[in-house]
Each structure stands twice: as C-alpha cells, then as structure tokens.
Amino acid sequence: MSYPQAHPVSSAPERLPLASWGPRALGRLVDTVVVALPAFLVAALLGLMMTGMLALAGGRDLSSSFGILTSVAAFLTGAAYEAVCITRWRMTLGMRLAGLRVGPLAGAGYPGPLPVMASAARGALLWGPVIFAFSAPAMGALALLGAVLFGLWPLWDRPNRQGLHDKVAGTVVLTVR
C-alpha cells in the first residue's frame, strides 16, 4: 500500500530576476530626495555656525565654503544612507518602493549576505560625484556627467545589468515583485 507523499516545504530562498533600468532609476530618484533634504539641512546649519564664527572673528566671504560644505554633507549622508540600508536590509527606501533588492553577484540571483565593506564601497562610489556638485561651477558639470554615467551604466552592461558601483561591490540589483 502506498501513502500519498506530503509536499516538502522548502525554506530555500527564491531565485530573483535581475532588475530592469526603469525601477532602478525610480528607486534612485526617491533615494536622492531622501538624502538631499537632510544633507542640505546639515549644510545649512554648519554654514550658519561658520557664518557666526567668522563674523565674530572679523568676517570673510562664505560663498565657496558653503558649496564645499553642501557637497561634503551630501556625499557623507548619501554614502552612509546607502551603506547602512544595503548592509542591514539589502535595500534602500527607494528600492523598497520600486520592488528591488541588492544581492551578491556570486549568489546568481539568490539573496545572500553582503560584506559591510562592499556596501560601504558601493555607497561611496555611487554618491562620489556629489563631492564635486557644489564646489565650483565647472566641477558641477563634471559631477552631473559622473552621475549620468553611473545611472545609465546598467543599460548597456551585460549580462548582469550592473552599475559601476555594483561592479566594485560585487553586487546585482534584483526584482522582488
């Protein structure tokens, strides 16, 4: 007599497909807004503190200093946001809204652990062009060119649709929906 076999319950994670460019761009746009607000707030507060200190010390023009403060604040905020979110949840807020998740390249579409240093390098490279964005007018054009290049890279990268930041970190962006 043969008994019906129960279907085994698999606890193995599901293999996820690579993300297309559209959802990646949407997620990045959301993340840029999420990072820009706190970064500009920090830069404004630091700029006001510097203005007060310099006014007490005799005064000086702060127009170039404020641009540098804004660039550094945006870079540090963006790189930290990216590194913490990717290490902890494998996604940022923008990625969550777009239905994306970061996985290891070696995982072949399966979610897995990401080293902290890989997430930090990924975030630093991704937000790197921001360092130049507000420091000088000519540098702003260079920053824009870098951001566009980084953003468009997954369009022509094959077979894994990786951005430069993904290549450095050994990651891929996967669709979870």
Side-chain angles (χ1 to χ4, degrees):
M1 178 178 245
S2 146
Y3 294 100
Q5 300 238 343
H7 293 286
V9 177
S10 174
S11 63
E14 178 185 349
R15 185 168 191 228
L16 303 171
L18 291 171
S20 61
W21 185 79
R24 287 180 73 146
L26 173 66
R28 187 56 51 211
L29 182 64
V30 170
D31 289 336
T32 300
V33 171
V34 166
V35 167
L37 267 70
F40 285 124
L41 241 138
V42 166
L45 288 173
L46 289 173
L48 286 172
M49 289 181 354
M50 278 183 58
T51 303
M53 289 188 299
L54 290 173
L56 291 174
R60 194 178 125 219
D61 181 25
L62 278 182
S63 57
S64 64
S65 299
F66 186 73
I68 292 169
L69 274 175
T70 304
S71 294
V72 171
F75 168 74
L76 292 174
T77 305
Y81 167 76
E82 189 82 18
V84 169
C85 289
I86 297 300
T87 300
R88 178 123 172 117
W89 300 290
R90 309 291 183 266
M91 68 182 88
T92 61
L93 178 62
M95 289 177 163
R96 182 181 177 96
L97 294 174
L100 306 174
R101 169 173 251 143
V102 175
L105 177 62
Y110 291 99
L114 297 173
V116 174
M117 289 308 294
S119 297
R122 185 180 193 278
L125 186 59
L126 182 64
W127 289 92
V130 174
I131 284 283
F132 306 106
F134 303 103
S135 53
M139 297 304 265
L142 181 65
L144 182 61
L145 178 65
V148 168
L149 182 64
F150 284 13
L152 295 179
W153 200 273
L155 282 173
W156 58 76
D157 183 72
R158 295 292 177 258
N160 296 316
R161 299 183 192 158
Q162 292 175 290
L164 291 174
H165 54 288
D166 291 313
K167 289 186 177 295
V168 166
T171 59
V172 289
V173 179
L174 307 167
T175 301
V176 294
R177 289 186 185 166

